[in-house]
Amino acid sequence: MACTNKKSLLRVVYGDYTLGIHGQDVHYIFSYATGGLESLVKGGMEWLYRTPKPTFWRALTDNDRGSKFHISSGRWLAADMFIQCKEISVCVDGKELGYPCAPVNNVYSDNEYADEVSITFTYETIVPPINTVEVTYTVQEAGELLVSVHYHGVNGLPQLPVFGLRLIMPTKADKYRYAGLSGETYPDRMAGGVKGIWEEDSIAPTPYIVPQDCGMHMDTRWVEIYRHRSLDNSRKMRDTQMLKVSAADNDFAFSCLPYTASELENATHQEELPPERRTVLCIYGAVRGVGGIDSWGSDVESEYQIDATKDIQFSFRIS
């Protein structure tokens, strides 16, 4: 393409099994092998430890166990842990390129530029009835990343615990700031939340005797994650780095913990949790309530349940 100012554009690298996109002080690598965004480097710091994947499960609470929610909806734990990428499609400046892996990528040079690049990963769950999730990453001017997530509902599916996208960071975060409701909130536990800008100086989970889901924040406009640690021993970290996730349309929910849902689920007591090494940031488009009418069998009220037969869509920006 004709270009008079390449510094204002995105440099695109068509690898054999990766797609690299380089903007102003931010670099992305999308992997065809792992099925998603494999690397996000901002300000010289890597922000991803694993490829982000759709998440369907939150650790059980005492109320969930009492109502036997895990018995009726346990298939979502399998979907959360194991999901396969079935299709990949790349679009550059509005032109569909399909799946430009080797040897198709050989038609491109090492001097390719674009205004906008989108790559869509389509995932399938592994337990029938099978349903799909599409995650589209759109790298825009100056390297800002728009992430759009679309869950396709299917008849015959049980209630969902949550639906979102899970991002695991290489090291434990120092703190996070967010614009939303104060404290821990769930769809049926929001009345006490006060809107404002809040800061949490720890990502440690709530010290319940039996580890369970915690740390949910509803109606969030943006969240900033702060880290100064890196897995790169050659990198001498002096200043804390920050990554910001902002709502692209409607507000989202999020949790920021040092553990995945399955790690919390695996521990029967606090001392069984592994050392806090990572940051698990989950951005949610839908969250089930926690109930609490009693802990001996009452289900969450219907208005706070998630109907898995209906589509769910949400989007956010990483900047």
Side-chain angles (χ1 to χ4, degrees), residues 253-297:
F254 82 94
S255 65
C256 184
L257 298 168
Y259 305 116
T260 63
S262 58
E263 286 175 323
L264 288 171
E265 200 80 75
N266 235 8
T268 58
H269 295 88
Q270 285 288 324
E271 63 269 19
E272 295 175 7
L273 288 168
E276 298 178 359
R277 294 191 179 95
R278 315 284 179 218
T279 301
V280 181
L281 174 66
C282 293
I283 306 297
Y284 297 110
V287 177
R288 174 182 165 88
V290 291
I293 299 170
D294 56 52
S295 295
W296 303 278

mmCIF file of all heavy atoms in Angstrom, residues 253-297:
data_model
loop_
_atom_site.group_PDB
_atom_site.id
_atom_site.type_symbol
_atom_site.label_atom_id
_atom_site.label_comp_id
_atom_site.label_asym_id
_atom_site.label_seq_id
_atom_site.Cartn_x
_atom_site.Cartn_y
_atom_site.Cartn_z
ATOM 1 N N ALA A 253 -18.023 -6.395 34.211
ATOM 2 C CA ALA A 253 -17.631 -6.852 35.548
ATOM 3 C C ALA A 253 -16.221 -7.415 35.443
ATOM 4 O O ALA A 253 -15.782 -7.819 34.363
ATOM 5 C CB ALA A 253 -18.588 -7.911 36.073
ATOM 6 N N PHE A 254 -15.489 -7.436 36.557
ATOM 7 C CA PHE A 254 -14.137 -8.006 36.526
ATOM 8 C C PHE A 254 -13.770 -8.556 37.894
ATOM 9 O O PHE A 254 -14.325 -8.187 38.922
ATOM 10 C CB PHE A 254 -13.106 -6.957 36.083
ATOM 11 C CG PHE A 254 -12.642 -6.030 37.185
ATOM 12 C CD1 PHE A 254 -11.486 -6.315 37.926
ATOM 13 C CD2 PHE A 254 -13.353 -4.888 37.508
ATOM 14 C CE1 PHE A 254 -11.056 -5.476 38.941
ATOM 15 C CE2 PHE A 254 -12.938 -4.034 38.525
ATOM 16 C CZ PHE A 254 -11.782 -4.330 39.239
ATOM 17 N N SER A 255 -12.792 -9.451 37.878
ATOM 18 C CA SER A 255 -12.120 -9.884 39.099
ATOM 19 C C SER A 255 -10.635 -9.902 38.814
ATOM 20 O O SER A 255 -10.208 -10.169 37.689
ATOM 21 C CB SER A 255 -12.601 -11.269 39.547
ATOM 22 O OG SER A 255 -12.250 -12.260 38.601
ATOM 23 N N CYS A 256 -9.847 -9.590 39.824
ATOM 24 C CA CYS A 256 -8.388 -9.567 39.695
ATOM 25 C C CYS A 256 -7.814 -10.292 40.912
ATOM 26 O O CYS A 256 -7.769 -9.744 42.013
ATOM 27 C CB CYS A 256 -7.884 -8.123 39.624
ATOM 28 S SG CYS A 256 -6.101 -7.968 39.350
ATOM 29 N N LEU A 257 -7.402 -11.553 40.699
ATOM 30 C CA LEU A 257 -6.956 -12.430 41.773
ATOM 31 C C LEU A 257 -5.650 -13.115 41.385
ATOM 32 O O LEU A 257 -5.302 -13.144 40.203
ATOM 33 C CB LEU A 257 -8.025 -13.495 42.070
ATOM 34 C CG LEU A 257 -9.390 -13.012 42.547
ATOM 35 C CD1 LEU A 257 -10.401 -14.142 42.501
ATOM 36 C CD2 LEU A 257 -9.296 -12.433 43.956
ATOM 37 N N PRO A 258 -4.941 -13.700 42.341
ATOM 38 C CA PRO A 258 -3.709 -14.431 42.002
ATOM 39 C C PRO A 258 -3.973 -15.886 41.601
ATOM 40 O O PRO A 258 -3.027 -16.639 41.397
ATOM 41 C CB PRO A 258 -2.896 -14.356 43.290
ATOM 42 C CG PRO A 258 -3.916 -14.282 44.378
ATOM 43 C CD PRO A 258 -5.077 -13.516 43.803
ATOM 44 N N TYR A 259 -5.246 -16.282 41.497
ATOM 45 C CA TYR A 259 -5.588 -17.672 41.201
ATOM 46 C C TYR A 259 -6.679 -17.762 40.147
ATOM 47 O O TYR A 259 -7.551 -16.885 40.058
ATOM 48 C CB TYR A 259 -6.071 -18.394 42.464
ATOM 49 C CG TYR A 259 -5.112 -18.347 43.613
ATOM 50 C CD1 TYR A 259 -5.437 -17.692 44.795
ATOM 51 C CD2 TYR A 259 -3.853 -18.951 43.516
ATOM 52 C CE1 TYR A 259 -4.553 -17.638 45.852
ATOM 53 C CE2 TYR A 259 -2.955 -18.896 44.571
ATOM 54 C CZ TYR A 259 -3.305 -18.234 45.735
ATOM 55 O OH TYR A 259 -2.414 -18.180 46.778
ATOM 56 N N THR A 260 -6.648 -18.860 39.384
ATOM 57 C CA THR A 260 -7.758 -19.181 38.500
ATOM 58 C C THR A 260 -8.887 -19.798 39.326
ATOM 59 O O THR A 260 -8.696 -20.194 40.480
ATOM 60 C CB THR A 260 -7.325 -20.177 37.411
ATOM 61 O OG1 THR A 260 -6.936 -21.405 38.042
ATOM 62 C CG2 THR A 260 -6.153 -19.635 36.590
ATOM 63 N N ALA A 261 -10.056 -19.910 38.698
ATOM 64 C CA ALA A 261 -11.197 -20.526 39.387
ATOM 65 C C ALA A 261 -10.893 -21.967 39.760
ATOM 66 O O ALA A 261 -11.255 -22.422 40.852
ATOM 67 C CB ALA A 261 -12.435 -20.454 38.494
ATOM 68 N N SER A 262 -10.209 -22.698 38.879
ATOM 69 C CA SER A 262 -9.910 -24.105 39.171
ATOM 70 C C SER A 262 -8.907 -24.238 40.315
ATOM 71 O O SER A 262 -8.976 -25.194 41.099
ATOM 72 C CB SER A 262 -9.380 -24.813 37.928
ATOM 73 O OG SER A 262 -8.231 -24.186 37.420
ATOM 74 N N GLU A 263 -7.982 -23.286 40.458
ATOM 75 C CA GLU A 263 -7.042 -23.329 41.585
ATOM 76 C C GLU A 263 -7.774 -23.085 42.899
ATOM 77 O O GLU A 263 -7.488 -23.755 43.912
ATOM 78 C CB GLU A 263 -5.933 -22.286 41.377
ATOM 79 C CG GLU A 263 -4.917 -22.687 40.320
ATOM 80 C CD GLU A 263 -3.905 -21.598 40.040
ATOM 81 O OE1 GLU A 263 -4.279 -20.399 40.055
ATOM 82 O OE2 GLU A 263 -2.726 -21.930 39.797
ATOM 83 N N LEU A 264 -8.701 -22.151 42.909
ATOM 84 C CA LEU A 264 -9.505 -21.923 44.112
ATOM 85 C C LEU A 264 -10.358 -23.150 44.415
ATOM 86 O O LEU A 264 -10.494 -23.564 45.569
ATOM 87 C CB LEU A 264 -10.404 -20.702 43.919
ATOM 88 C CG LEU A 264 -9.737 -19.331 43.918
ATOM 89 C CD1 LEU A 264 -10.731 -18.252 43.508
ATOM 90 C CD2 LEU A 264 -9.147 -18.998 45.292
ATOM 91 N N GLU A 265 -10.912 -23.745 43.363
ATOM 92 C CA GLU A 265 -11.781 -24.904 43.517
ATOM 93 C C GLU A 265 -11.027 -26.106 44.092
ATOM 94 O O GLU A 265 -11.584 -26.927 44.816
ATOM 95 C CB GLU A 265 -12.342 -25.273 42.141
ATOM 96 C CG GLU A 265 -13.584 -26.106 42.160
ATOM 97 C CD GLU A 265 -14.818 -25.267 42.416
ATOM 98 O OE1 GLU A 265 -15.268 -24.564 41.506
ATOM 99 O OE2 GLU A 265 -15.330 -25.342 43.559
ATOM 100 N N ASN A 266 -9.749 -26.190 43.771
ATOM 101 C CA ASN A 266 -8.938 -27.350 44.145
ATOM 102 C C ASN A 266 -8.545 -27.364 45.613
ATOM 103 O O ASN A 266 -8.183 -28.408 46.155
ATOM 104 C CB ASN A 266 -7.659 -27.359 43.308
ATOM 105 C CG ASN A 266 -7.475 -28.654 42.555
ATOM 106 O OD1 ASN A 266 -8.364 -29.490 42.530
ATOM 107 N ND2 ASN A 266 -6.322 -28.832 41.957
ATOM 108 N N ALA A 267 -8.584 -26.209 46.259
ATOM 109 C CA ALA A 267 -8.120 -26.102 47.649
ATOM 110 C C ALA A 267 -9.302 -26.213 48.612
ATOM 111 O O ALA A 267 -10.306 -25.521 48.453
ATOM 112 C CB ALA A 267 -7.393 -24.779 47.863
ATOM 113 N N THR A 268 -9.168 -27.088 49.593
ATOM 114 C CA THR A 268 -10.227 -27.218 50.597
ATOM 115 C C THR A 268 -9.975 -26.329 51.810
ATOM 116 O O THR A 268 -10.878 -26.113 52.620
ATOM 117 C CB THR A 268 -10.358 -28.682 51.061
ATOM 118 O OG1 THR A 268 -9.094 -29.123 51.587
ATOM 119 C CG2 THR A 268 -10.760 -29.583 49.907
ATOM 120 N N HIS A 269 -8.744 -25.820 51.939
ATOM 121 C CA HIS A 269 -8.399 -24.866 52.993
ATOM 122 C C HIS A 269 -7.407 -23.851 52.432
ATOM 123 O O HIS A 269 -6.724 -24.111 51.434
ATOM 124 C CB HIS A 269 -7.804 -25.575 54.222
ATOM 125 C CG HIS A 269 -8.767 -26.483 54.921
ATOM 126 N ND1 HIS A 269 -8.928 -27.801 54.556
ATOM 127 C CD2 HIS A 269 -9.638 -26.259 55.939
ATOM 128 C CE1 HIS A 269 -9.845 -28.352 55.330
ATOM 129 N NE2 HIS A 269 -10.299 -27.445 56.172
ATOM 130 N N GLN A 270 -7.298 -22.707 53.084
ATOM 131 C CA GLN A 270 -6.442 -21.625 52.596
ATOM 132 C C GLN A 270 -4.994 -22.065 52.401
ATOM 133 O O GLN A 270 -4.344 -21.697 51.428
ATOM 134 C CB GLN A 270 -6.488 -20.436 53.568
ATOM 135 C CG GLN A 270 -7.764 -19.622 53.503
ATOM 136 C CD GLN A 270 -7.878 -18.799 52.247
ATOM 137 O OE1 GLN A 270 -6.886 -18.282 51.753
ATOM 138 N NE2 GLN A 270 -9.086 -18.663 51.722
ATOM 139 N N GLU A 271 -4.483 -22.899 53.335
ATOM 140 C CA GLU A 271 -3.069 -23.281 53.262
ATOM 141 C C GLU A 271 -2.771 -24.199 52.076
ATOM 142 O O GLU A 271 -1.605 -24.431 51.751
ATOM 143 C CB GLU A 271 -2.621 -23.948 54.567
ATOM 144 C CG GLU A 271 -3.323 -25.246 54.904
ATOM 145 C CD GLU A 271 -4.568 -25.046 55.748
ATOM 146 O OE1 GLU A 271 -5.102 -23.916 55.779
ATOM 147 O OE2 GLU A 271 -5.007 -26.031 56.370
ATOM 148 N N GLU A 272 -3.813 -24.704 51.415
ATOM 149 C CA GLU A 272 -3.613 -25.563 50.253
ATOM 150 C C GLU A 272 -3.491 -24.776 48.953
ATOM 151 O O GLU A 272 -3.174 -25.349 47.905
ATOM 152 C CB GLU A 272 -4.763 -26.575 50.143
ATOM 153 C CG GLU A 272 -4.801 -27.561 51.302
ATOM 154 C CD GLU A 272 -6.015 -28.471 51.232
ATOM 155 O OE1 GLU A 272 -6.751 -28.423 50.225
ATOM 156 O OE2 GLU A 272 -6.231 -29.235 52.195
ATOM 157 N N LEU A 273 -3.748 -23.481 49.008
ATOM 158 C CA LEU A 273 -3.581 -22.652 47.819
ATOM 159 C C LEU A 273 -2.098 -22.517 47.482
ATOM 160 O O LEU A 273 -1.259 -22.435 48.376
ATOM 161 C CB LEU A 273 -4.178 -21.259 48.040
ATOM 162 C CG LEU A 273 -5.704 -21.175 48.082
ATOM 163 C CD1 LEU A 273 -6.147 -19.807 48.587
ATOM 164 C CD2 LEU A 273 -6.296 -21.458 46.706
ATOM 165 N N PRO A 274 -1.728 -22.499 46.196
ATOM 166 C CA PRO A 274 -0.319 -22.350 45.826
ATOM 167 C C PRO A 274 0.176 -20.937 46.129
ATOM 168 O O PRO A 274 -0.626 -20.029 46.392
ATOM 169 C CB PRO A 274 -0.326 -22.621 44.315
ATOM 170 C CG PRO A 274 -1.716 -22.283 43.882
ATOM 171 C CD PRO A 274 -2.615 -22.643 45.026
ATOM 172 N N PRO A 275 1.491 -20.718 46.108
ATOM 173 C CA PRO A 275 2.014 -19.360 46.293
ATOM 174 C C PRO A 275 1.436 -18.401 45.248
ATOM 175 O O PRO A 275 1.138 -18.810 44.121
ATOM 176 C CB PRO A 275 3.524 -19.539 46.104
ATOM 177 C CG PRO A 275 3.782 -20.977 46.408
ATOM 178 C CD PRO A 275 2.565 -21.713 45.938
ATOM 179 N N GLU A 276 1.296 -17.150 45.621
ATOM 180 C CA GLU A 276 0.719 -16.152 44.715
ATOM 181 C C GLU A 276 1.791 -15.697 43.718
ATOM 182 O O GLU A 276 2.657 -14.886 44.046
ATOM 183 C CB GLU A 276 0.175 -14.972 45.515
ATOM 184 C CG GLU A 276 -0.954 -15.362 46.460
ATOM 185 C CD GLU A 276 -1.450 -14.191 47.287
ATOM 186 O OE1 GLU A 276 -0.903 -13.076 47.131
ATOM 187 O OE2 GLU A 276 -2.377 -14.383 48.088
ATOM 188 N N ARG A 277 1.722 -16.221 42.489
ATOM 189 C CA ARG A 277 2.749 -15.937 41.484
ATOM 190 C C ARG A 277 2.234 -15.102 40.308
ATOM 191 O O ARG A 277 2.987 -14.364 39.708
ATOM 192 C CB ARG A 277 3.310 -17.242 40.907
ATOM 193 C CG ARG A 277 4.085 -18.111 41.871
ATOM 194 C CD ARG A 277 4.794 -19.218 41.110
ATOM 195 N NE ARG A 277 5.574 -20.072 41.985
ATOM 196 C CZ ARG A 277 5.144 -21.212 42.503
ATOM 197 N NH1 ARG A 277 3.900 -21.616 42.230
ATOM 198 N NH2 ARG A 277 5.902 -21.943 43.282
ATOM 199 N N ARG A 278 0.967 -15.253 39.972
ATOM 200 C CA ARG A 278 0.423 -14.647 38.761
ATOM 201 C C ARG A 278 -0.689 -13.649 39.094
ATOM 202 O O ARG A 278 -1.098 -13.510 40.241
ATOM 203 C CB ARG A 278 -0.159 -15.723 37.828
ATOM 204 C CG ARG A 278 0.715 -16.950 37.661
ATOM 205 C CD ARG A 278 1.894 -16.718 36.767
ATOM 206 N NE ARG A 278 2.701 -17.931 36.665
ATOM 207 C CZ ARG A 278 4.019 -17.945 36.627
ATOM 208 N NH1 ARG A 278 4.692 -16.821 36.651
ATOM 209 N NH2 ARG A 278 4.677 -19.087 36.534
ATOM 210 N N THR A 279 -1.171 -12.992 38.040
ATOM 211 C CA THR A 279 -2.354 -12.149 38.138
ATOM 212 C C THR A 279 -3.383 -12.684 37.161
ATOM 213 O O THR A 279 -3.105 -12.791 35.965
ATOM 214 C CB THR A 279 -2.028 -10.686 37.785
ATOM 215 O OG1 THR A 279 -1.016 -10.204 38.672
ATOM 216 C CG2 THR A 279 -3.257 -9.809 37.916
ATOM 217 N N VAL A 280 -4.545 -13.053 37.656
ATOM 218 C CA VAL A 280 -5.619 -13.578 36.812
ATOM 219 C C VAL A 280 -6.699 -12.508 36.721
ATOM 220 O O VAL A 280 -7.468 -12.284 37.662
ATOM 221 C CB VAL A 280 -6.192 -14.887 37.387
ATOM 222 C CG1 VAL A 280 -7.289 -15.422 36.467
ATOM 223 C CG2 VAL A 280 -5.086 -15.921 37.576
ATOM 224 N N LEU A 281 -6.731 -11.828 35.570
ATOM 225 C CA LEU A 281 -7.718 -10.772 35.331
ATOM 226 C C LEU A 281 -8.814 -11.342 34.433
ATOM 227 O O LEU A 281 -8.542 -11.750 33.302
ATOM 228 C CB LEU A 281 -7.065 -9.568 34.660
ATOM 229 C CG LEU A 281 -8.016 -8.448 34.235
ATOM 230 C CD1 LEU A 281 -8.654 -7.782 35.452
ATOM 231 C CD2 LEU A 281 -7.288 -7.411 33.379
ATOM 232 N N CYS A 282 -10.027 -11.383 34.936
ATOM 233 C CA CYS A 282 -11.170 -11.857 34.154
ATOM 234 C C CYS A 282 -12.101 -10.683 33.879
ATOM 235 O O CYS A 282 -12.532 -9.991 34.817
ATOM 236 C CB CYS A 282 -11.918 -12.956 34.896
ATOM 237 S SG CYS A 282 -10.982 -14.486 35.089
ATOM 238 N N ILE A 283 -12.398 -10.472 32.599
ATOM 239 C CA ILE A 283 -13.348 -9.440 32.193
ATOM 240 C C ILE A 283 -14.635 -10.161 31.804
ATOM 241 O O ILE A 283 -14.637 -11.012 30.918
ATOM 242 C CB ILE A 283 -12.821 -8.621 31.001
ATOM 243 C CG1 ILE A 283 -11.437 -8.060 31.309
ATOM 244 C CG2 ILE A 283 -13.801 -7.502 30.647
ATOM 245 C CD1 ILE A 283 -11.385 -7.094 32.474
ATOM 246 N N TYR A 284 -15.746 -9.814 32.475
ATOM 247 C CA TYR A 284 -16.987 -10.568 32.313
ATOM 248 C C TYR A 284 -18.064 -9.756 31.600
ATOM 249 O O TYR A 284 -18.252 -8.561 31.872
ATOM 250 C CB TYR A 284 -17.538 -10.975 33.682
ATOM 251 C CG TYR A 284 -16.657 -11.904 34.463
ATOM 252 C CD1 TYR A 284 -15.986 -11.471 35.606
ATOM 253 C CD2 TYR A 284 -16.496 -13.238 34.080
ATOM 254 C CE1 TYR A 284 -15.186 -12.320 36.343
ATOM 255 C CE2 TYR A 284 -15.701 -14.098 34.808
ATOM 256 C CZ TYR A 284 -15.037 -13.639 35.939
ATOM 257 O OH TYR A 284 -14.242 -14.492 36.667
ATOM 258 N N GLY A 285 -18.802 -10.455 30.733
ATOM 259 C CA GLY A 285 -19.983 -9.875 30.112
ATOM 260 C C GLY A 285 -21.254 -10.309 30.807
ATOM 261 O O GLY A 285 -22.314 -9.713 30.616
ATOM 262 N N ALA A 286 -21.162 -11.374 31.616
ATOM 263 C CA ALA A 286 -22.322 -11.864 32.376
ATOM 264 C C ALA A 286 -21.831 -12.557 33.636
ATOM 265 O O ALA A 286 -20.851 -13.306 33.608
ATOM 266 C CB ALA A 286 -23.149 -12.830 31.533
ATOM 267 N N VAL A 287 -22.523 -12.324 34.757
ATOM 268 C CA VAL A 287 -22.157 -12.900 36.058
ATOM 269 C C VAL A 287 -23.433 -13.370 36.757
ATOM 270 O O VAL A 287 -24.431 -12.644 36.801
ATOM 271 C CB VAL A 287 -21.433 -11.862 36.951
ATOM 272 C CG1 VAL A 287 -21.123 -12.463 38.315
ATOM 273 C CG2 VAL A 287 -20.166 -11.358 36.286
ATOM 274 N N ARG A 288 -23.386 -14.574 37.295
ATOM 275 C CA ARG A 288 -24.508 -15.116 38.075
ATOM 276 C C ARG A 288 -24.461 -14.550 39.493
ATOM 277 O O ARG A 288 -23.389 -14.279 40.043
ATOM 278 C CB ARG A 288 -24.394 -16.643 38.114
ATOM 279 C CG ARG A 288 -25.401 -17.365 39.003
ATOM 280 C CD ARG A 288 -25.110 -18.867 38.962
ATOM 281 N NE ARG A 288 -25.777 -19.607 40.024
ATOM 282 C CZ ARG A 288 -26.996 -20.106 39.937
ATOM 283 N NH1 ARG A 288 -27.681 -19.941 38.830
ATOM 284 N NH2 ARG A 288 -27.529 -20.778 40.946
ATOM 285 N N GLY A 289 -25.607 -14.371 40.088
ATOM 286 C CA GLY A 289 -25.652 -13.935 41.475
ATOM 287 C C GLY A 289 -25.134 -15.010 42.419
ATOM 288 O O GLY A 289 -24.902 -16.157 42.023
ATOM 289 N N VAL A 290 -24.946 -14.641 43.678
ATOM 290 C CA VAL A 290 -24.424 -15.601 44.659
ATOM 291 C C VAL A 290 -25.496 -16.161 45.585
ATOM 292 O O VAL A 290 -25.227 -17.063 46.375
ATOM 293 C CB VAL A 290 -23.306 -14.969 45.518
ATOM 294 C CG1 VAL A 290 -22.079 -14.714 44.681
ATOM 295 C CG2 VAL A 290 -23.780 -13.693 46.193
ATOM 296 N N GLY A 291 -26.708 -15.642 45.486
ATOM 297 C CA GLY A 291 -27.765 -16.158 46.368
ATOM 298 C C GLY A 291 -27.543 -15.735 47.800
ATOM 299 O O GLY A 291 -27.157 -14.613 48.072
ATOM 300 N N GLY A 292 -27.780 -16.640 48.739
ATOM 301 C CA GLY A 292 -27.591 -16.309 50.144
ATOM 302 C C GLY A 292 -28.874 -16.312 50.939
ATOM 303 O O GLY A 292 -28.893 -15.911 52.095
ATOM 304 N N ILE A 293 -29.969 -16.721 50.299
ATOM 305 C CA ILE A 293 -31.225 -16.861 51.046
ATOM 306 C C ILE A 293 -31.010 -17.857 52.177
ATOM 307 O O ILE A 293 -31.457 -17.669 53.302
ATOM 308 C CB ILE A 293 -32.354 -17.339 50.105
ATOM 309 C CG1 ILE A 293 -32.576 -16.306 48.998
ATOM 310 C CG2 ILE A 293 -33.643 -17.594 50.879
ATOM 311 C CD1 ILE A 293 -33.487 -16.753 47.886
ATOM 312 N N ASP A 294 -30.325 -18.934 51.861
ATOM 313 C CA ASP A 294 -29.814 -19.870 52.853
ATOM 314 C C ASP A 294 -28.699 -20.651 52.160
ATOM 315 O O ASP A 294 -28.445 -20.473 50.967
ATOM 316 C CB ASP A 294 -30.899 -20.819 53.392
ATOM 317 C CG ASP A 294 -31.585 -21.595 52.282
ATOM 318 O OD1 ASP A 294 -30.880 -22.223 51.461
ATOM 319 O OD2 ASP A 294 -32.820 -21.572 52.221
ATOM 320 N N SER A 295 -28.011 -21.486 52.889
ATOM 321 C CA SER A 295 -26.925 -22.279 52.306
ATOM 322 C C SER A 295 -27.277 -23.756 52.238
ATOM 323 O O SER A 295 -26.399 -24.611 52.198
ATOM 324 C CB SER A 295 -25.634 -22.093 53.133
ATOM 325 O OG SER A 295 -25.194 -20.765 53.043
ATOM 326 N N TRP A 296 -28.590 -24.054 52.222
ATOM 327 C CA TRP A 296 -28.997 -25.456 52.309
ATOM 328 C C TRP A 296 -29.859 -25.899 51.136
ATOM 329 O O TRP A 296 -30.528 -26.900 51.215
ATOM 330 C CB TRP A 296 -29.744 -25.692 53.620
ATOM 331 C CG TRP A 296 -28.906 -25.311 54.795
ATOM 332 C CD1 TRP A 296 -27.943 -26.056 55.398
ATOM 333 C CD2 TRP A 296 -28.934 -24.069 55.475
ATOM 334 N NE1 TRP A 296 -27.363 -25.347 56.419
ATOM 335 C CE2 TRP A 296 -27.942 -24.113 56.497
ATOM 336 C CE3 TRP A 296 -29.668 -22.890 55.338
ATOM 337 C CZ2 TRP A 296 -27.700 -23.056 57.363
ATOM 338 C CZ3 TRP A 296 -29.426 -21.836 56.200
ATOM 339 C CH2 TRP A 296 -28.448 -21.933 57.200
ATOM 340 N N GLY A 297 -29.926 -25.122 50.050
ATOM 341 C CA GLY A 297 -30.688 -25.609 48.913
ATOM 342 C C GLY A 297 -31.368 -24.570 48.055
ATOM 343 O O GLY A 297 -31.734 -24.856 46.918
#
